[in-house]
Amino acid sequence: MADGVAGKDKCGEPRLVSLPLSRIRVIMKSSPEVSSINQEALVLTAKATELFVQYLATYSYRHGSGREKKALTYSDLSNTAEESETFQFLADILPKKILASKYLKMLKEKRGEEEENDDDDDESDDEAES
Amino acid sequence: MAERPEDLNLPNAVITRIIKEALPEGVNISKEARSAISRAASVFVLYATSCANNFAMKGKRKTLNASDVLSAMEEMEFQRFVTPLKEALEAYRREQKGKKEASEQKKKDKDKKTDSEEQDKSRDEDNDEDEERLEEEEQNEEEDVDN
């Protein structure tokens, strides 16, 4: 693996966390209500993020479609965000992909429904049948 | 502070390595999947920070500490992370203690060579006392976390 070196420090010993603490701090501080973070909290958040990346990847792979093909794809991840309650908070940034043609069709159907609703307001009882 | 939006991204090479280590060998990870996981990781940091900050505020503290992060994990339904995180915290504290002792030893050696005045000596003793108290506090914290 070409990236293998990044996790070791100069002495060659494995480090406690491999994600850069400075970057984690910048992300944490970008939250306006946070005033200060002690070093232990920073290290723990970095470590938790590593565990999270591992968990998200293995969970999506196990529940995903690419197991036979030995592949992890975007749709495996967006499925995870949609189906697992724990990963629900990712739903906004991992939206399900759909074909543009399908989306246009959905849009058309929705518009059609709205128009129908506008047209026959007084016949709303019959609406449910269609 | 984050000045550019890409300052909120985590390095792709490191993220990719973590994913590869987690999955069985030979699994192909699409480029899109990598960048999606990387984005997810940034969002995770923000979410965890915001949860931890709520715990700090409840405790009327301005600084986020280790126990706030651990409480946040439980709140976010990532209980499975709590045990490995506690282990990492202990390893981190051991590491820090080792570093501190090494530097203290250095300082003491240096003091032995230079110390001739009475004043210097008494100041050093004060310092030692302070450090002992700090260590005690650290131990108390560890007990809190274990409970």
Side-chain angles (χ1 to χ4, degrees):
Chain A
M1 240 192 310
D3 308 319
V5 213
K8 319 258 167 140
D9 61 13
K10 284 162 204 152
C11 326
E13 266 175 63
R15 277 193 296 183
L16 208 52
V17 283
S18 38
L19 288 169
L21 293 180
S22 55
R23 185 53 62 94
I24 298 279
R25 185 192 287 278
V26 168
I27 301 175
M28 292 175 86
K29 286 256 184 168
S30 75
S31 177
E33 73 264 37
V34 173
S35 45
S36 63
I37 305 150
N38 82 12
Q39 191 67 13
E40 284 185 356
L42 179 62
V43 170
L44 275 195
T45 306
K47 186 75 193 166
T49 310
E50 280 184 37
L51 296 171
F52 169 78
V53 168
Q54 288 169 2
Y55 185 36
L56 175 61
T58 49
Y59 185 98
S60 304
Y61 182 65
R62 275 200 212 114
H63 293 78
S65 51
R67 261 175 100 179
E68 307 89 53
K69 293 179 225 151
K70 287 203 118 192
L72 180 66
T73 63
Y74 178 84
S75 66
D76 295 330
L77 296 165
S78 61
N79 275 336
T80 297
E82 191 184 64
E83 280 154 27
S84 148
E85 210 172 298
T86 320
F87 290 112
Q88 194 76 61
F89 71 97
L90 299 173
D92 286 343
I93 60 146
L94 300 177
K96 272 213 128 138
K97 277 197 191 168
I98 60 167
L99 288 173
S101 57
K102 208 174 162 190
Y103 176 71
L104 288 173
K105 208 177 144 198
M106 270 168 59
L107 212 66
K108 229 178 191 173
E109 275 168 14
K110 211 180 161 198
R111 277 206 194 121
E113 266 173 38
E114 272 165 15
E115 272 166 28
E116 263 176 52
N117 285 345
D118 287 345
D119 285 347
D120 31 42
D121 261 347
D122 31 21
E123 295 171 64
S124 52
D125 286 344
D126 303 333
E127 258 301 290
E129 310 248 335
S130 58
Chain B
M1 265 320 265
E3 276 155 16
R4 299 161 303 165
E6 55 275 29
D7 287 345
L8 301 181
N9 294 343
L10 292 162
N12 277 323
V14 184
I15 294 285
T16 305
R17 189 170 45 81
I18 298 171
I19 304 170
K20 277 195 175 157
E21 279 170 7
L23 293 176
E25 250 188 84
V27 174
N28 181 50
I29 311 146
S30 78
K31 208 180 163 197
E32 229 180 348
R34 290 176 204 200
S35 73
I37 293 180
S38 184
R39 260 181 294 142
S42 293
V43 171
F44 174 83
V45 174
L46 283 173
Y47 183 25
T49 306
S50 149
C51 279
N53 195 56
N54 283 344
F55 284 103
M57 269 167 29
K58 258 184 224 165
K60 298 206 164 76
R61 282 174 285 105
K62 278 194 172 173
T63 306
L64 297 193
N65 66 24
S67 72
D68 294 327
V69 178
L70 291 172
S71 308
M73 290 303 127
E74 290 195 18
E75 173 107 342
M76 293 160 76
E77 291 181 46
F78 287 112
Q79 295 95 336
R80 52 166 53 229
F81 295 171
V82 172
T83 310
L85 286 180
K86 278 183 183 169
E87 284 165 12
L89 183 59
E90 270 169 38
Y92 174 75
R93 283 178 176 162
R94 269 199 304 275
E95 205 182 272
Q96 292 305 106
K97 218 179 160 192
K99 274 186 198 165
K100 206 172 111 186
E101 271 163 14
S103 71
E104 259 169 42
Q105 194 57 48
K106 245 187 207 168
K107 212 175 93 190
K108 265 181 199 161
D109 290 348
K110 210 176 161 192
D111 284 346
K112 259 183 209 161
K113 279 177 203 158
T114 51
D115 115 81
S116 49
E117 283 173 55
E118 197 81 2
Q119 267 187 333
D120 268 1
K121 221 175 178 177
S122 64
R123 204 168 59 207
D124 282 344
E125 273 162 18
D126 281 350
N127 279 345
D128 282 349
E129 263 170 37
D130 279 347
E131 269 151 15
E132 264 166 37
R133 209 169 53 223
L134 263 175
E135 265 172 34
E136 261 173 40
E137 275 169 22
E138 265 174 27
Q139 273 161 11
N140 288 340
E141 262 175 45
E142 267 169 48
E143 278 159 24
D144 283 348
V145 172
D146 285 341
N147 286 338

